[in-house]
Amino acid sequence: MHLPFIRSVKDIDLRNQRVLIRADLNVPIKDGLVTSDARIVASLATIRLALNAGASVVVMSHLGRPIEGQYADQYSLAPVAQRLAQLLDREVPLLAQPEDCPAIEFGEIGLLENVRFLMGEKSNSAELSQRLSDQCDVFVMDAFGTAHRAHASTHGVAELAAAACAGLLLDAELKAFQHTLSAPQKPMVAIIGGAKVSTKLEVLGSLAGIADRIIVGGGIANTFIAAAGYEIGKSLYEPELLGVAKNIAGRVKIPIPVDVMVGRAFDEAATAIVKNIDDVAADEMIMDIGPVTARAWAETLLDAQTIMWNGPLGVFEFDQFGEGTRVLAQAIADSSAYSIAGGGDTLAAVDKYCVTDGISYISTGGGAFLELVEGKVLPAVEMLRLRSV
Ligand code: AMP
């Protein structure tokens, strides 16, 4: 991966500048409260830098998937403003429209309401991009998790703003991926789990050329297990991708579990039963790797120098099918390899199994994570590159 030159927010004097920061504050919210503030915390460094420099700071983000152009309470960033105010220990007013930005004085901060309430966000409309860029002297792109989208708040505004640069988080994310992908210390093991091969096909193909081994888990593993000729009963898998799975397995080492945890229903209360891989019955679903496999795979991580992890190894939301994910998460954390983990469900697993401290770099990106590994250029990053020459 080649990292282009992109101007960093560190290189710009922000004193008395109107600074608009695109952060990724798309966090889970329940009953009006933020339930995981990891993405907010990850955005604080750039926000603090701008505030300390004496800028007038407005942060913007999307939240969830509202109908574009329509306000909806459930997608309001109000709970995020509240949490941000607690973390910064200062007031963070919520601004309904971009035109409300001038209310924020130098040295103060405001949060613009969900950018997806604004018409033209997803279509990257020139009109909305102009409205946003009119509000700032410096646009700071810090939303790595949304950098694979060319939206008005990530791309159009960067094109039109008087100056555009990368925030500290985006910069750190890109450097972590460059470190992992350009010249990874070998052996490199990639752990790719999750529901469907189809969503991670390209990433598996790219990793087949980079990694020494790929451990596949979750529904993805089921397709590989079926491709290896085993009965998988009623497990989630993608029959149309059996050929593709065989092809990938022919290019890089992909182990098949020797034992698995099966259930008869996709249910929180389903009983988990250990089965040898050649013993799965027609009415059973594979929902996790078994204990022998988990231990063996954890041991294979001992000699790894680089580990990349995206996606759970089973239905970890149900505790009885979470052991495979827990054991491997712990093995990654215990390993001395450089490790990078990312993706929404992966972060939830990292939280659930308390392994944050053992992982070298935890990425806030899911889609952006996969697209970088696939070798794609992230549109928002490309725009910053163009604005940096
Ligand atoms: P993804 O968004 O592709 O990373 O998929 C994550 C989801 O895959 C999680 O919600 C898991 O519960 C689910 N998952 C993992 N393993 C399995 C499995 N064996 N069968 C069905 N779903 C699974």
Side-chain angles (χ1 to χ4, degrees):
M1 174 189 164
H2 168 69
L3 199 57
F5 172 73
I6 291 171
R7 191 174 299 121
S8 160
V9 66
K10 279 185 294 195
D11 302 331
I12 298 183
D13 183 4
L14 299 180
R15 197 177 152 69
N16 289 347
Q17 298 290 295
R18 297 172 303 146
V19 173
L20 180 58
I21 302 173
R22 174 56 158 104
D24 183 357
L25 307 178
N26 182 31
V27 293
I29 289 172
K30 204 172 172 195
D31 302 328
L33 288 176
V34 172
T35 55
S36 165
D37 65 1
R39 281 182 161 164
I40 306 178
V41 171
S43 304
L44 288 177
T46 301
I47 293 172
R48 287 204 172 107
L49 179 131
L51 280 171
N52 292 341
S56 134
V57 181
V58 174
V59 183
M60 62 177 169
S61 174
H62 73 286
L63 178 74
R65 296 171 184 227
I67 298 172
E68 191 172 291
Q70 284 183 29
Y71 174 87
D73 269 344
Q74 86 187 95
Y75 297 113
S76 168
L77 280 171
V80 174
Q82 198 185 357
R83 185 74 193 116
L84 194 53
Q86 284 167 348
L87 288 165
L88 291 171
D89 196 20
R90 61 164 78 212
E91 277 181 38
V92 180
L94 195 57
L95 311 172
Q97 297 293 330
E99 290 70 23
D100 297 331
C101 289
I104 305 302
E105 305 279 343
F106 292 112
E108 291 184 353
I109 176 172
L111 177 65
L112 182 61
E113 194 40 294
N114 193 341
V115 286
R116 290 193 181 162
F117 291 165
L118 300 169
M119 211 59 204
E121 163 63 0
K122 289 212 232 164
S123 60
N124 199 11
S125 91
E127 194 193 335
L128 179 58
S129 303
Q130 189 68 55
R131 279 177 70 197
L132 293 169
S133 64
D134 281 348
Q135 302 308 321
C136 66
D137 303 308
V138 180
F139 168 68
V140 183
M141 173 62 186
D142 209 22
F144 176 69
T146 329
H148 58 311
R149 309 255 183 246
H151 290 173
S153 70
T154 61
H155 187 271
V157 61
E159 186 176 5
L160 300 177
C165 61
L168 303 177
L169 175 65
L170 179 66
D171 198 41
E173 294 268 12
L174 293 174
K175 290 201 171 111
F177 277 92
Q178 189 197 28
H179 182 92
T180 319
L181 295 170
S182 298
Q185 296 256 51
K186 299 284 196 157
M188 175 180 181
V189 182
I191 303 171
I192 302 295
K196 290 187 165 181
V197 179
S198 49
T199 58
K200 297 190 184 165
L201 204 55
E202 283 185 64
V203 86
L204 286 167
S206 301
L207 285 170
I210 307 171
D212 299 287
R213 292 194 297 277
I214 303 182
I215 288 178
V216 292
I220 292 180
N222 295 342
T223 302
F224 282 87
I225 295 169
Y230 294 98
E231 163 77 53
I232 57 162
K234 287 204 279 182
S235 303
L236 171 72
Y237 88 118
E238 289 162 290
E240 67 285 5
L241 292 178
L242 289 174
V244 176
K246 274 188 198 150
N247 178 288
I248 295 172
R251 292 168 56 207
V252 61
K253 261 189 234 164
I254 298 190
I256 297 293
V258 292
D259 61 343
V260 288
M261 304 300 293
V262 303
R264 290 215 171 80
F266 195 87
D267 191 299
E268 203 168 0
T271 304
I273 309 161
V274 191
K275 285 274 175 111
N276 284 331
I277 190 67
D278 46 13
D279 253 355
V280 176
D283 64 341
E284 291 171 338
M285 269 179 266
I286 302 174
M287 303 221 269
D288 193 8
I289 51 175
V292 174
T293 302
R295 235 174 296 125
W297 287 2
E299 264 174 40
T300 68
L301 294 183
L302 288 176
D303 73 336
Q305 295 295 317
T306 305
I307 302 173
M308 171 173 278
W309 177 28
N310 182 296
L313 287 117
V315 187
F316 76 105
E317 296 92 335
F318 306 157
D319 290 346
Q320 68 278 33
F321 296 109
E323 277 300 285
T325 303
R326 186 187 67 75
V327 170
L328 282 195
Q330 194 58 54
I332 297 168
D334 292 344
S335 145
S336 56
Y338 177 84
S339 51
I340 180 165
D345 287 299
T346 315
L347 296 194
V350 164
D351 262 358
K352 177 166 178 172
Y353 302 122
C354 306
V355 292
T356 308
D357 289 346
I359 297 177
S360 314
Y361 190 82
I362 297 188
S363 173
T364 53
F369 180 118
L370 296 176
E371 291 200 11
L372 271 187
V373 180
E374 286 160 18
K376 292 188 183 149
V377 173
L378 307 181
V381 173
E382 174 60 7
M383 179 50 72
L384 292 181
R385 183 188 73 76
L386 291 172
R387 293 301 317 272
S388 300
V389 289

